[in-house]
Amino acid sequence: MTDLRVQRRLASQILKVGLERVWIDPEQLDDVASAITREDVRELIEKGVIKKKPVRGISRGRFRSRLKQIRKGRRSGPGSRKGARGARDPRKEQWMRRIRAQRRRLRELRDSGLITRSTYRMLYRKSKGGEFRSVSHLELYIRAHGLMSTEVRKEE
């Protein structure tokens, strides 16, 4: 195997790239070995015997596979979290979700005639006071206290 260190060094300087990015045609190693001046190397570059290799990028393969996992809900353990529990899902937003759902359900029950307006007001205030954990808890309370209108309950 011929020693092409000098030619590689000259080519890297001419092409303005590192030694690793200089490609030399393996079929024409003898021509390259005979090139001893910068001018000779320039001619070989023009002929395409010596070329500049493309820049190696950073593969996004690992990132994509990780992203797939994240989308599935993985990789969200305690080691991946920053901030307190309340910072990720604030208490206020939890409350907003809960109260809006309860008020929506109460409106549905009132508009369909399942509860009276006075019952609606009473339950609305209890919801506002945070008495019910969820919509199902609210409905449990309504059934337990017999607050559904009797005439509509027969139709059900």
Side-chain angles (χ1 to χ4, degrees), residues 84-108:
R85 187 193 314 139
R88 289 171 74 86
D89 191 12
R91 279 215 195 117
K92 183 170 184 175
E93 283 180 21
Q94 290 173 19
W95 164 258
M96 279 158 46
R97 277 198 301 271
R98 208 165 49 239
I99 196 67
R100 284 171 182 174
Q102 288 173 23
R103 286 173 176 172
R104 199 177 309 118
R105 185 68 184 129
L106 283 171
R107 269 196 302 277
E108 287 167 8

Side-chain angles (χ1 to χ4, degrees), residues 73 75-85 88:
R75 306 183 75 89
S76 61
S80 306
R81 295 179 200 164
K82 287 192 169 185
R85 187 193 314 139
R88 289 171 74 86

Side-chain angles (χ1 to χ4, degrees), residues 107-133:
R107 269 196 302 277
E108 287 167 8
L109 293 171
R110 182 196 62 195
D111 295 344
S112 62
L114 288 169
I115 57 172
T116 62
R117 283 180 66 220
S118 57
T119 307
Y120 167 81
R121 288 308 319 159
M122 182 262 289
L123 291 170
Y124 189 97
R125 283 194 299 273
K126 282 185 181 295
S127 292
K128 182 179 179 171
E131 193 162 320
F132 310 117
R133 292 185 299 274

